[in-house]
Amino acid sequence: MASHIVGYPRMGPKRELKFALESFWDGKSTAEDLQKVSADLRSAIWKQMSEAGTKFIPSNTFAHYDQVLDTTAMLGAVPPRYGYTSGEIGLDVYFSMARGNASVPAMEMTKWFDTNYHYIVPELGPEVNFTYASHKAVNEYKEAKALGVDTVPVLVGPVSYLLLSKAAKGVDKSFDLLSLLPKVLAVYKEVISELKAAGATWIQLDEPVLVMDLEGHKLEAFTAAYAELESTLSGLNVLVETYFADIPAEAYKTLTSLKGVTAFGFDLIRGTKTLDLVKAGFPEGKYLFAGVVDGRNIWANDFAASLSTLEALEGIVGKDKLVVSTSCSLLHTAVDLINETKLDDEIKSWMAFAAQKVVEVNALAKALAGHKDEALFSANAAALASRRSSPRVTNEGVQKAAAALKGSDHRRATNVSSRLDAQQKKLNLPILPTTTIGSFPQTVELRRVRREYKAKKVSEEDYVKAITEEIKKVVDLQEELDIDVLVHGEPERNDMVEYFGEQLSGFAFTANGWVQSYGSRCVKPPVIYGDVSRPKAMTVFWSALAQSMTSRPMKGMLTGPVTILNWSFVRNDQPRHETCYQIALAIKDEVEDLEKGGIGVIQIDEAALREGLPLRKSEHAFYLDWAVHSFRITNCGVQDSTQIHTHMCYSHFNDIIHSIIDMDADVITIENSRSDEKLLSVFREGVKYGAGIGPGVYDIHSPRIPSSEEIADRVNKMLAVLEQNILWVNPDCGLKTRKYTEVKPALKNMVDAAKLIRSQLASAK
């Protein structure tokens, strides 16, 4: 019985690659140093998989930045601005594409399907000269072979590559990216021939785009591409791998009849409906790679359930044609549970990180072949039973409260325009009121105080004193700049999700559960293992303290339920929306306590609302319905005169604008400065929006300080499509990552711009 791993995390168990990359980028180490760390990580991964008994071990899933960028390098598709002419692409050109350099900007980065990983988007057009320019796939295959490991080289499939690309600047937007297929396939043929010559017997082509809603001509492109590759692929076993959702019936038909392909891989965790397609018909003599171990979560596999799925499949495809696999690359989960020394033993027994999932895949394969490890299987059953019956997981009170939500849609008592009137009476704000999004710069000193308090090296009294001084500094600065609605700067917070998770029940935190987000940046998602509730107030102390320092309105700052959900590893024993409603009730308690504590403006961030949107259009309405409902639950109980803000990061906003209106916030601020025009076009197209709105007037992701003229110009563009009585003026995101030397002048220019336009509007009257 055979086992397979779709892909593996690159960062290393202790983020070794992150530190090696950053050291190299800072000029503190050489390219040789970086390559040595990389080679050591690769050989450790191959060895680990090999020792676990894995038959199909992937190579070329390691990347110094991103696997799609690796493919762009392989194809020599370097945008002209990077000055590449010919020859093997080196780290300098590669990292310039990923990160930009002193003279040219980076390529665009966007989310990889519905994960929190980001890939570098290829920029293509009719002029691109595709040439075989990076031999990484072949080199890594040979590198593993020299270590005694025969691997399956993995390439991003040619059709998915093109469909995940965009037309380069200056190329007509209507340009058909698939028209480049013949040129791209010419390079794929060279790569595949070279892999064959090096001794590869299997090759994996990832075509995850097949799980999307694809029009007919896109499916035809798959048929044409693989027909064209057929003679090059002959003599190889070819696996086409799909993941992240079930595959639509039409796409399944196209996939299973591709020329030259011997094996098909499916995600059977997020794609349970694919099982029905397989049962209805699977091509004879082909291999089925069954993704029964979840590559996107940290929970231990249910061996008994997986085994029964595998046995059913075995009856259809035959014993020697079934391979046990992961649902997708393990890139999207944490690396190794062995490094979690502080995690509670009971909770730890419920989990499996990437290294443990490799063991799970092999245990299932052995069991299927009649060599069941009884001890391992009974430990697995015991852990699952303890999770099901643990009082830490189930909280009757929370279950009841969440069940009671079903009868209402939790709207505020009056409509937004009359609420805005009530709020204005209380707040007395000028037109074009100014505010910021929440966080202020976090200095080295501030991080040190937080770290030492956590390690119990600083007394609570000294910690409170230090944070109070920091808040005072931030409040004084905002008053001096004459900002209208203030924030306390969030000096007490490490991260917008972790800070709340640490104060809610049902959450656990790892020490090394890092997952790559992009490049060297990793995130450490909290783990939601049980029913969520709020034992006591979380933010009221600091917000009330900050409000006592000023007569201007002070915003309370909370992270919304959908964002907390989408940025965590979520329990898999109940539907996601039920967990979301529980978080919403906890945040609702906090909102009402802030209001009682004298806070009249409360911001509930939903940065990740759009991120959770399912891949298939047929599932959008259900998701948006419960996500928006969860947001409304948090603030349906406040008075009309309490102003509810939300903040969202821009990501293809236009398609969900009606859901955003349905959130019914009083004011929404939007990260917008990188994509001004796109956002404003929604309102130009006549969408009626009656609430307050603050599209970001400058980009905080860049150290650049915009002039007041530039900001005024932006505000005027917004006034062309939005009413002056609803427009707010604010930066596009929190200021945590910036320096005070950048923040002060930028905010001063922002306030100056608002005042300038106010006086122009007044004299125009």
Side-chain angles (χ1 to χ4, degrees):
M1 211 44 232
S3 52
H4 166 247
I5 306 295
V6 178
Y8 202 81
R10 312 144 181 167
M11 279 296 137
K14 299 268 177 83
R15 291 184 292 162
E16 291 83 348
L17 181 60
K18 172 193 173 69
F19 300 118
L21 283 167
E22 290 172 1
S23 162
F24 174 67
W25 293 336
D26 291 345
K28 292 175 183 154
S29 60
T30 64
E32 289 71 40
D33 298 330
L34 174 59
Q35 298 293 11
K36 166 122 183 43
V37 170
S38 307
D40 289 349
L41 284 169
R42 286 194 294 268
S43 73
I45 292 165
W46 290 326
K47 201 170 134 204
Q48 172 196 337
M49 289 194 201
S50 178
E51 284 168 2
T54 316
K55 179 171 179 188
F56 297 109
I57 297 173
S59 58
N60 200 41
T61 60
F62 179 90
H64 279 125
Y65 207 93
D66 162 54
Q67 72 272 12
V68 181
L69 183 61
D70 284 359
T71 313
T72 297
M74 177 183 92
L75 295 167
V78 181
R81 65 180 176 279
Y82 300 106
Y84 165 78
T85 47
S86 65
E88 187 77 2
I89 287 173
L91 289 179
D92 50 344
V93 172
Y94 180 86
F95 287 132
S96 293
M97 290 192 283
R99 309 176 65 234
N101 58 38
S103 51
V104 290
M107 293 167 73
E108 187 196 342
M109 180 167 78
T110 196
K111 273 165 59 74
W112 178 244
F113 295 85
D114 60 348
T115 69
N116 289 328
Y117 175 80
H118 299 73
Y119 74 96
I120 302 289
V121 184
E123 301 172 11
L124 305 178
E127 306 300 305
V128 178
N129 176 27
F130 293 98
T131 53
Y132 186 11
S134 164
H135 291 63
K136 174 178 175 290
V138 178
N139 295 341
E140 278 189 25
Y141 174 77
K142 289 177 176 168
E143 182 186 324
K145 203 168 181 185
L147 295 166
V149 183
D150 189 29
T151 59
V152 178
V154 179
L155 302 173
V156 174
V159 186
S160 290
Y161 177 79
L162 290 174
L163 292 176
L164 291 164
S165 304
K166 67 171 190 180
K169 232 192 179 113
V171 172
D172 198 295
K173 284 284 166 268
S174 65
F175 174 72
D176 178 17
L177 292 158
L178 289 173
S179 66
L180 298 171
L181 203 50
K183 293 181 181 175
V184 166
L185 290 174
V187 180
Y188 273 85
K189 285 179 187 174
E190 286 186 70
V191 180
I192 293 163
S193 304
E194 212 171 281
L195 285 167
K196 259 202 302 201
T201 53
W202 277 83
I203 179 171
Q204 174 180 325
L205 292 157
D206 282 7
E207 294 281 14
V209 166
L210 280 165
V211 305
M212 305 293 283
D213 298 307
L214 295 180
E215 305 94 331
H217 76 278
K218 290 181 180 169
L219 288 175
E220 283 155 23
F222 281 95
T223 306
Y226 285 81
E228 175 65 28
L229 288 174
E230 188 182 12
S231 58
T232 313
L233 292 170
S234 74
L236 274 175
N237 279 302
V238 181
L239 163 64
V240 173
E241 184 64 61
T242 66
Y243 36 76
F244 300 148
D246 45 48
I247 185 158
E250 274 307 299
Y252 178 80
K253 240 192 319 213
T254 300
L255 171 63
T256 49
S257 41
L258 290 179
K259 294 274 200 317
V261 178
T262 19
F264 309 99
F266 300 109
D267 179 337
L268 300 179
I269 300 288
R270 286 177 180 238
T272 44
K273 294 186 196 133
T274 303
L275 281 170
D276 300 334
L277 294 173
V278 173
K279 285 170 186 164
F282 188 77
E284 202 166 338
K286 304 281 185 178
Y287 290 86
L288 174 66
F289 281 60
V292 292
V293 171
D294 193 345
R296 287 182 61 171
N297 217 323
I298 42 67
W299 303 113
N301 190 267
D302 180 339
F303 281 174
S306 296
L307 208 50
S308 78
T309 300
L310 291 165
E311 282 162 354
L313 289 169
E314 199 175 52
I316 299 161
V317 305
K319 213 176 185 54
D320 59 335
K321 294 288 189 253
L322 183 63
V323 179
V324 183
S325 184
T326 55
S327 66
C328 61
S329 171
L330 299 175
L331 177 71
H332 309 289
T333 188
V335 182
D336 195 344
L337 202 48
I338 203 160
N339 298 313
E340 298 304 326
T341 48
K342 294 203 174 102
L343 207 55
D344 172 290
D345 280 344
E346 184 185 25
I347 293 177
K348 198 169 166 177
S349 75
W350 304 338
M351 293 181 174
F353 290 2
Q356 288 68 43
K357 289 174 189 286
V358 170
V359 173
E360 290 182 335
V361 167
N362 284 289
L364 286 164
K366 284 174 191 137
L368 209 50
H371 308 294
K372 192 184 205 178
D373 181 336
E374 293 297 348
L376 198 63
F377 268 69
S378 56
N380 175 266
L384 289 170
S386 104
R387 190 175 159 205
R388 272 193 291 270
S389 61
S390 171
R392 304 165 68 169
V393 171
T394 313
N395 175 331
E396 288 297 326
V398 174
Q399 292 277 352
K400 277 201 185 112
L405 293 170
K406 304 246 176 347
S408 157
D409 62 356
H410 301 88
R411 292 183 185 275
R412 287 172 76 181
T414 53
N415 68 22
V416 70
S417 57
S418 50
R419 297 198 309 260
L420 288 169
D421 289 343
Q423 291 154 15
Q424 180 56 12
K425 282 198 181 85
K426 184 166 123 188
L427 299 170
N428 197 17
L429 298 169
I431 59 161
L432 307 182
T434 53
T435 190
T436 63
I437 301 306
S439 59
F440 265 65
Q442 299 220 340
T443 57
V444 175
E445 178 60 16
L446 185 57
R447 288 177 187 192
R448 186 185 61 78
V449 168
R450 270 208 317 261
R451 204 167 45 241
E452 292 185 350
Y453 174 57
K454 214 169 187 176
K456 305 201 166 25
K457 289 181 186 161
V458 168
S459 71
E460 180 162 17
E461 193 182 339
D462 286 344
Y463 171 73
V464 170
K465 188 167 167 262
I467 298 291
T468 304
E469 279 168 12
E470 186 66 27
I471 292 175
K472 180 84 175 104
K473 207 170 80 186
V474 170
V475 171
D476 289 349
L477 172 63
Q478 292 171 93
E479 291 203 318
E480 179 194 323
L481 290 165
D482 204 15
I483 290 172
D484 301 305
V485 175
L486 310 192
V487 297
H488 76 290
E490 304 176 26
E492 78 287 10
R493 303 187 190 181
N494 45 4
D495 169 272
M496 61 185 282
V497 173
E498 198 167 308
Y499 179 75
F500 290 96
E502 283 171 345
Q503 301 186 73
L504 294 166
S505 60
F507 279 78
F509 292 86
T510 63
N512 287 290
W514 297 98
V515 181
Q516 185 180 11
S517 170
Y518 62 87
S520 69
R521 177 153 165 74
C522 302
V523 292
K524 191 158 64 69
V527 176
I528 304 178
Y529 67 85
D531 288 337
V532 176
S533 63
R534 186 199 69 143
K536 57 181 204 296
M538 302 183 281
T539 66
V540 178
F541 173 79
W542 296 118
S543 288
L545 178 74
Q547 182 64 82
S548 72
M549 296 175 182
T550 179
S551 57
R552 300 179 186 220
M554 173 62 63
K555 276 199 280 198
M557 300 302 302
L558 305 173
T559 302
V562 187
T563 297
I564 291 176
L565 184 87
N566 284 339
W567 285 350
S568 298
F569 282 125
V570 182
R571 57 191 289 192
N572 59 352
D573 57 351
Q574 69 178 20
R576 282 174 78 87
H577 65 268
E578 286 182 22
T579 303
C580 199
Y581 286 150
Q582 293 181 357
I583 305 169
L585 287 170
I587 300 294
K588 178 179 197 279
D589 290 346
E590 187 70 13
V591 168
E592 289 167 13
D593 279 351
L594 280 168
E595 186 182 55
K596 285 189 200 108
I599 303 297
V601 182
I602 302 167
Q603 181 171 309
I604 306 163
D605 282 348
E606 282 295 14
L609 185 105
R610 177 70 175 60
E611 272 182 32
L613 206 58
L615 293 174
R616 301 279 268 290
K617 294 198 178 66
S618 59
E619 295 163 29
H620 285 190
F622 178 65
Y623 166 76
L624 288 168
D625 185 62
W626 63 254
V628 168
H629 189 180
S630 298
F631 177 82
R632 288 201 309 262
I633 288 167
T634 63
N635 61 80
C636 63
V638 300
Q639 299 162 19
D640 281 1
S641 58
T642 296
Q643 190 165 75
I644 299 293
H645 287 226
T646 189
H647 174 68
M648 293 182 125
C649 293
Y650 175 84
S651 53
H652 308 299
F653 222 77
N654 303 15
D655 52 355
I656 61 163
I657 189 73
H658 294 288
S659 297
I660 290 164
I661 292 171
D662 202 36
M663 288 167 77
D664 198 26
D666 296 309
V667 179
I668 177 170
T669 51
I670 301 175
E671 178 193 347
N672 156 69
S673 61
R674 290 184 172 190
S675 38
D676 251 1
E677 290 311 310
K678 280 189 200 160
L679 176 77
L680 293 178
S681 69
V682 181
F683 300 105
R684 248 181 242 118
E685 283 151 23
V687 169
K688 284 282 163 273
Y689 190 77
I693 184 165
V697 295
Y698 80 91
D699 178 10
I700 65 93
H701 298 94
S702 154
R704 212 178 131 263
I705 295 157
S707 66
S708 55
E709 292 74 25
E710 186 185 324
I711 295 176
D713 183 47
R714 279 211 144 124
V715 175
N716 277 321
K717 268 196 195 133
M718 293 168 189
L719 284 170
V721 290
L722 293 163
E723 298 292 325
Q724 64 187 49
N725 61 339
I726 63 169
L727 189 64
W728 284 64
V729 177
N730 45 267
D732 73 352
C733 252
L735 306 169
K736 180 161 84 174
T737 56
R738 298 266 59 93
K739 300 181 172 75
Y740 272 107
T741 50
E742 298 154 356
V743 165
K744 282 181 188 169
L747 289 178
K748 181 184 184 305
N749 292 347
M750 182 186 87
V751 174
D752 288 348
K755 288 180 173 171
L756 173 73
I757 294 178
R758 277 175 206 158
S759 63
Q760 286 169 354
L761 291 170
S763 56
K765 267 187 188 162

